[in-house]
Amino acid sequence: RLSLKSFVAKTPGGHLRGSGELRWEPLLGATIESELSGFDPGYFFPDFPGALSGKLDASGERDAQGHWKGGARLAGLRGSLRKRLVQGQARVQFAADSANGELSLRIGNSHVEAGGRYGEQLDLHAQFSPLDLADLWPGASGRLQGRMAVRGARIAPAYEADLRGEGLRWGQFAARQLSARGRLPASGRNGDLQLSAKDLSLSGETFDSAALTMTGSVAAFHATGDLASELGRLDFEATAAGQGQ
């Protein structure tokens, strides 16, 4: 067992201070407890200058089958990042092929709530009230407003969305307007999920508009859509049915 009674990472105007432990018997594992006080992540990641304070704890252990389990918690996050005020908290727990967690973040003009469970059953959700992409990523722009969720069996979950976007730009993706509304259940016939975009750009390809409507369910759906550009318009239709349908 190796115990680290104290460590410190200093940045101009702040620091990260904590303690930790590494053990290899009876099982390989590690634990860390730390506090941030005016810590500047830009010292290590130049695109993300700031001054952050809060408490960060994490632990993990590998079982006899070689699977890792553990968790992490970020509490009382506050300060600034890229000249934007920050406030939030987060936690995550994981074991083998399952995990659960929660995130609450306010940064600049953005407010994001997300969380849920991942495993054989999914219950994942996110709420943007709104999400200004420029608050999170340098060079990005535009705003997302609304919610989205994925629930049900991992092999065939249900999808829900009520999401709107305007003036979006991130890397090689851009859209003047973006919309995702409706629900597509895992089974049944009453699903109706509608996706659309205007002035869409993907990896250098530009389109005046794009639309897709899916009805039915993930197991058996009917899809119609269109794609329009200066070269013309493409309409398409597809049907997929599960076994026994």
Side-chain angles (χ1 to χ4, degrees):
R1 176 179 297 191
L2 175 65
S3 295
L4 190 61
K5 294 182 178 180
S6 178
F7 66 85
V8 60
K10 294 184 177 180
T11 64
H15 63 264
L16 182 152
R17 188 185 304 273
S19 61
E21 178 184 84
L22 175 64
R23 56 190 180 276
W24 43 89
E25 289 183 353
L27 296 171
L28 180 63
T31 302
I32 183 173
E33 297 179 353
S34 63
E35 290 191 8
L36 298 83
S37 179
F39 182 77
D40 181 9
Y43 189 77
F44 302 95
F45 306 99
D47 289 336
F48 295 90
L52 299 175
S53 299
K55 183 175 177 59
L56 175 63
D57 300 329
S59 64
E61 185 176 78
R62 189 174 68 177
D63 63 22
Q65 288 72 43
H67 300 141
W68 283 91
K69 65 177 181 179
R73 180 181 297 271
L74 176 62
L77 180 65
R78 59 196 182 279
S80 65
L81 188 66
R82 299 177 53 243
K83 299 182 179 181
R84 293 161 169 84
L85 292 179
V86 175
Q87 181 179 359
Q89 58 187 13
R91 69 162 185 85
V92 62
Q93 295 286 331
F94 61 90
D97 62 348
S98 65
N100 68 84
E102 295 178 349
L103 167 70
S104 177
L105 177 65
R106 293 180 181 269
I107 176 170
N109 297 317
S110 301
H111 180 196
V112 178
E113 298 280 345
R117 301 188 307 273
Y118 175 87
E120 291 300 322
Q121 293 288 321
L122 304 181
D123 185 3
L124 306 173
H125 55 86
Q127 176 84 37
F128 309 116
S129 307
L131 170 59
D132 189 333
L133 298 186
D135 286 337
L136 294 187
W137 294 284
S141 60
R143 175 172 290 193
L144 283 172
Q145 180 94 34
R147 60 180 178 82
M148 58 189 300
V150 181
R151 296 186 172 96
R154 184 170 61 186
I155 58 174
Y159 300 89
E160 301 177 31
D162 184 5
L163 196 62
R164 303 168 302 283
E166 294 184 355
L168 302 174
R169 184 173 296 276
W170 183 23
Q172 299 188 55
F173 169 83
R176 181 171 59 85
Q177 290 183 352
L178 184 71
S179 175
R181 294 182 177 178
R183 180 176 185 271
L184 193 68
S187 59
R189 301 179 180 179
N190 60 348
D192 187 355
L193 181 62
Q194 301 179 23
L195 312 175
S196 64
K198 293 183 178 180
D199 295 335
L200 178 66
S201 177
L202 288 170
S203 302
E205 300 294 330
T206 59
F207 306 93
D208 297 330
S209 64
L212 174 66
T213 296
M214 300 178 69
T215 57
S217 65
V218 174
F221 67 84
H222 180 70
T224 59
D226 62 78
L227 193 63
S229 71
E230 61 180 6
L231 300 178
R233 176 186 173 99
L234 171 67
D235 295 298
F236 58 88
E237 183 173 357
T239 299
Q243 291 182 348
Q245 306 220 15

